[in-house]
Amino acid sequence: IAVDIINQVREIKGVAGVHIMAIEWESAAKEIASRANLLPRPVFEVDPSEAVVSFQAEAGASGGRPDDIIAAAKAEAEQIIINAKQEAASLQPSAAGPTLVSEDLGEDEMNEKERQMALEALRLGQEALQKAFGLTDDQVEALEKFSSAEAILRREPDSAPKPPAAGPPPAAKPPVEEPKKVEEVKAPAEEPEKAEEDKKAAEAKKAEEDKKAAETKAAEDAKKAEEANKAAEEAKRADEAKKADKPKTAAPPAGIEAGELAIEKTALSDRASKIPEDHYKIQYSGAIREVTLGTGDNLLTVGGSNSLPFQLFEGDMPRKPLIAMDVLDVAPDEWPETLARHFEGVLDNPVAWAQKCVNDYQAEAICLSMVSTDPNGMNRSSADAAKVAADVINSVDVPIIIWGCDNTEKDTETLRDITAMIGDKKVCLAPLTDKNYRSIGATAMAFQHPVVAASPIDVNLAKQLNILMENLGMQLGTVLIDPSIGALGYGIEYTYSVMERIRLAALTQQDDKLQVPFICNLGREVWKAKEVRLPTDNLIGDQENRGVLMEAVTATIMLLAGGEVLVMRHPRAITLTKSLINGMAG
């Protein structure tokens, strides 16, 4: 493939050579160059002294010294300009008498002749410069001499006709009386009685017209008022009907409802009017990049805030955090019944599972976890897993995140096969680590997919991975950060601390390498904890409520730390989290 590309590039006019860069295939570079007949590599040696001698010889062969050439060019240019001005002056009409040539030559023809002479001056000047190609100060001065000729060339012919030549003043004509005054003289005076009758008739006619206009206006106003009342009544009835009828598609399934939080309507500045503004408000200098997920008409953008999460009194949070529902490519065998029962009948069919999340639970996005490819588990081949992923991607119209099994080698194979099968559809590839960012990053750049950069819980490692991907050629506007989170009670304080430090560096220290949205895959962390599997008892309460609250509280902590994309599992936990987002974001 590489040799074929090189041979095609050779046929492009103007291409002088090729540069071969084989990422992770460095050993193949020599073989590619050999098959493409690029070895041995040509060597070009140029002696600068020879180049200077040849230039001087060429300049001297043109005849005479450069100073003599410049002086001759100056004199020739000045003489041409003087001749052009004299010729143009001879073509202008004389102020003392009638013009001699205006009848034979039009204004456009005179300007055209000036153009031709100016062009000739420019051409001769250019030849003089070419003879002395060194471009010294004297040559620049000679070039300035041609500016006047160029000004003549750029002048367009006047479209407006010029006034005729001054001649003898025209003979005075006898004054002519205006027709109106003649008529006034000839017309007999009107009688006073007739004028009074006409005046009364005009006033009566005007009064009648005013009366009709008032009646018409009153009728129109009454009609408009009636129509406005009718429209108001119809709108009121429609509003009442809309409140009475709740659409079935918007109603959540039974058992996952959540109440709406009351939104604070009084601004913080009004509530804290007695406190100086600089005591509770910070001016941030940075902003989080925006990353777009999805394809075509189903695009969703995350990020874009320029303040800490939900601190709406300090800055803007243009987009609410996005929640993606987790779907596995194989039926889970470790999910507790309190979670699995909400996906009964579809757990063994990833396509139906994803469709249920979208249609029944109104999922905004889907995270497809390729757990079957884990070499320590089922170890499904990447080709078979790619077919399943392609079916899921083609079955729903929401953004898709493809999350590997966290084995770098297997994830590289699987994600490559998936991108090769889905055509023009865009998915988010995850996770990229410091071990596989080159291979998966190259695939993402080739097919223009966003990616997830995953690093252990560390600020410097997260920044370093972003720098490596940017050096590879990736744009950070297509990257999400996975800081490696923990569930409630399982090291979540470390995750929160690292996320907070990353966000503060991005907003207050203008660290553009960290101005990237967060993604938090928290569902898998929560539902593998032992607390969600313990049965119901009087001490720790209902098992399902315990799991739901554990996932919802974990999500809340991630939101307050800056999470823009959350991957969750339980529908009721998602409903609770959305209620919190709507209440805090307004």
Side-chain angles (χ1 to χ4, degrees):
I1 294 174
V3 172
D4 184 47
I5 293 174
I6 292 172
N7 291 333
Q8 294 181 35
V9 170
R10 276 175 164 170
E11 299 177 1
I12 301 174
K13 185 178 180 181
V15 174
V18 296
H19 175 71
I20 302 174
M21 180 175 64
I23 300 175
E24 294 188 349
W25 296 343
E26 288 81 359
S27 59
K30 186 175 181 180
E31 183 178 356
I32 293 172
S34 176
R35 291 188 183 184
N37 297 325
L38 298 176
L39 294 179
R41 182 182 303 175
V43 178
F44 301 95
E45 296 183 357
V46 179
D47 188 353
S49 62
E50 294 181 0
V52 173
V53 171
S54 63
F55 168 76
Q56 292 177 349
E58 182 179 356
S62 60
R65 295 178 304 172
D67 295 339
D68 297 337
I69 295 172
I70 295 170
K74 288 181 181 179
E76 187 176 1
E78 291 175 354
Q79 185 61 38
I80 292 172
I81 293 171
I82 293 172
N83 294 339
K85 291 182 177 179
Q86 292 177 351
E87 186 67 21
S90 66
L91 296 176
Q92 300 300 325
S94 174
T99 179
L100 299 176
V101 296
S102 60
E103 296 179 355
D104 297 332
L105 291 177
E107 184 65 18
D108 293 345
E109 295 178 5
M110 288 189 292
N111 287 342
E112 182 59 27
K113 188 170 183 180
E114 292 178 36
R115 283 174 177 273
Q116 295 300 328
M117 289 187 295
L119 279 172
E120 182 67 16
L122 285 178
R123 184 183 66 79
L124 295 175
Q126 289 174 357
E127 290 178 356
L129 289 177
Q130 290 174 359
K131 293 177 182 179
F133 188 66
L135 293 180
T136 62
D137 295 337
D138 292 335
Q139 293 166 350
V140 174
E141 182 180 355
L143 181 62
E144 292 176 352
K145 292 293 185 179
F146 305 132
S147 60
S148 58
E150 185 180 5
I152 297 175
L153 175 63
R154 292 183 180 276
R155 190 177 64 196
E156 297 294 338
D158 296 331
S159 58
K162 289 191 174 182
K173 295 183 180 180
V176 180
E177 295 183 358
E178 297 181 1
K180 184 177 179 181
K181 293 182 178 181
V182 175
E183 291 178 0
E184 290 178 355
V185 174
K186 294 182 179 180
E190 294 181 353
E191 298 180 357
E193 295 82 358
K194 186 177 180 181
E196 187 67 22
E197 291 177 0
D198 291 343
K199 184 178 179 181
K200 291 182 179 180
E203 291 177 353
K205 185 177 180 181
K206 183 178 180 181
E208 184 68 21
E209 290 176 353
D210 292 343
K211 182 179 179 182
K212 289 182 179 180
E215 292 176 355
T216 303
K217 188 173 184 298
E220 291 178 355
D221 292 343
K223 186 177 180 181
K224 289 180 179 179
E226 183 179 357
E227 292 177 353
N229 293 334
K230 185 177 180 181
E233 292 177 359
E234 291 179 356
K236 184 178 180 180
R237 287 196 297 268
D239 188 42
E240 292 175 354
K242 185 177 179 181
K243 291 180 180 179
D245 290 336
K246 293 183 179 180
K248 296 181 180 180
T249 56
I256 66 168
E257 303 89 350
E260 296 183 359
L261 295 181
I263 300 176
E264 179 61 55
K265 297 182 180 180
T266 305
L268 179 61
S269 57
D270 296 334
R271 288 179 281 149
S273 58
K274 297 182 180 180
I275 303 175
E277 191 176 74
D278 58 352
H279 284 202
Y280 63 87
K281 187 175 180 179
I282 299 175
Q283 294 292 335
Y284 299 100
S285 57
I288 306 303
R289 288 181 175 85
E290 296 178 346
V291 177
T292 301
L293 306 176
T295 305
D297 297 333
N298 303 301
L299 297 177
L300 289 177
T301 302
V302 297
S305 60
N306 57 10
S307 67
L308 288 178
F310 302 100
Q311 303 282 65
L312 304 182
F313 58 91
E314 290 182 323
D316 295 329
M317 187 178 180
R319 295 170 188 85
K320 297 178 181 180
L322 174 67
I323 298 179
M325 292 194 72
D326 198 10
V327 175
L328 277 57
D329 68 335
V330 66
D333 54 0
E334 296 181 355
W335 281 22
E337 177 62 23
T338 55
L339 173 62
R341 70 183 185 88
H342 294 279
F343 306 97
E344 186 177 0
V346 297
L347 290 178
D348 57 349
N349 186 345
V351 172
W353 189 349
Q355 291 175 342
K356 183 178 181 65
C357 290
V358 174
N359 298 331
D360 294 352
Y361 299 127
Q362 290 80 47
E364 301 171 289
I366 295 294
C367 178
L368 181 61
S369 299
M370 311 301 294
V371 296
S372 67
T373 61
D374 189 354
N376 297 322
M378 290 181 60
N379 196 22
R380 175 184 281 179
S381 67
S382 58
D384 292 341
K387 293 179 182 178
V388 175
D391 292 339
V392 174
I393 293 169
N394 293 323
S395 66
V396 293
D397 294 329
V398 297
I400 303 289
I401 303 168
I402 305 295
W403 205 288
C405 63
D406 291 333
N407 181 284
T408 55
E409 295 181 0
K410 196 61 176 287
D411 287 347
T412 301
E413 297 177 7
T414 303
L415 295 177
R416 278 180 171 175
D417 289 347
I418 292 173
T419 55
M421 293 184 64
I422 61 177
D424 295 334
K425 292 203 171 183
K426 308 301 179 187
V427 296
C428 185
L429 306 179
L432 273 71
T433 66
D434 58 347
K435 296 180 180 179
N436 65 357
Y437 77 93
R438 288 178 177 267
S439 53
I440 300 181
T443 300
M445 287 190 293
F447 295 96
Q448 299 180 352
H449 297 299
V451 298
V452 173
S455 57
I457 308 177
D458 187 273
V459 177
N460 295 324
L461 293 178
K463 180 177 180 178
Q464 180 182 359
L465 181 56
N466 286 350
I467 294 174
L468 291 174
M469 291 192 300
E470 197 172 37
N471 292 340
L472 182 65
M474 300 184 66
Q475 300 293 328
L476 292 184
T478 62
V479 177
L480 301 172
I481 290 181
D482 173 25
S484 297
I485 68 162
L488 180 65
Y490 288 82
I492 197 170
E493 62 274 14
Y494 296 106
T495 299
Y496 186 94
S497 175
V498 168
M499 291 176 66
E500 185 181 44
R501 288 171 59 195
I502 291 175
R503 188 49 50 91
L504 287 173
L507 296 177
T508 63
Q509 301 173 15
Q510 298 183 3
D511 193 336
D512 61 339
K513 309 303 180 186
L514 295 176
Q515 292 173 346
V516 178
F518 286 118
I519 182 171
C520 304
N521 196 345
L522 61 98
R524 64 177 184 174
E525 300 296 328
V526 170
W527 291 98
K528 68 182 181 182
K530 65 180 180 179
E531 284 80 5
V532 302
R533 304 175 185 277
L534 294 175
T536 300
D537 62 24
N538 295 330
L539 180 62
I540 56 178
D542 181 76
Q543 180 185 4
E544 183 166 5
N545 286 339
R546 189 189 320 134
V548 167
L549 292 176
M550 192 168 181
E551 186 176 20
V553 172
T554 301
T556 302
I557 296 172
M558 296 297 98
L559 288 173
L560 296 178
E564 278 91 358
V565 181
L566 308 180
V567 181
M568 302 178 66
R569 289 182 175 177
H570 200 290
R572 186 159 181 263
I574 294 174
T575 304
L576 290 172
T577 305
K578 285 184 177 179
S579 176
L580 178 67
I581 292 173
N582 294 333
M584 291 194 301

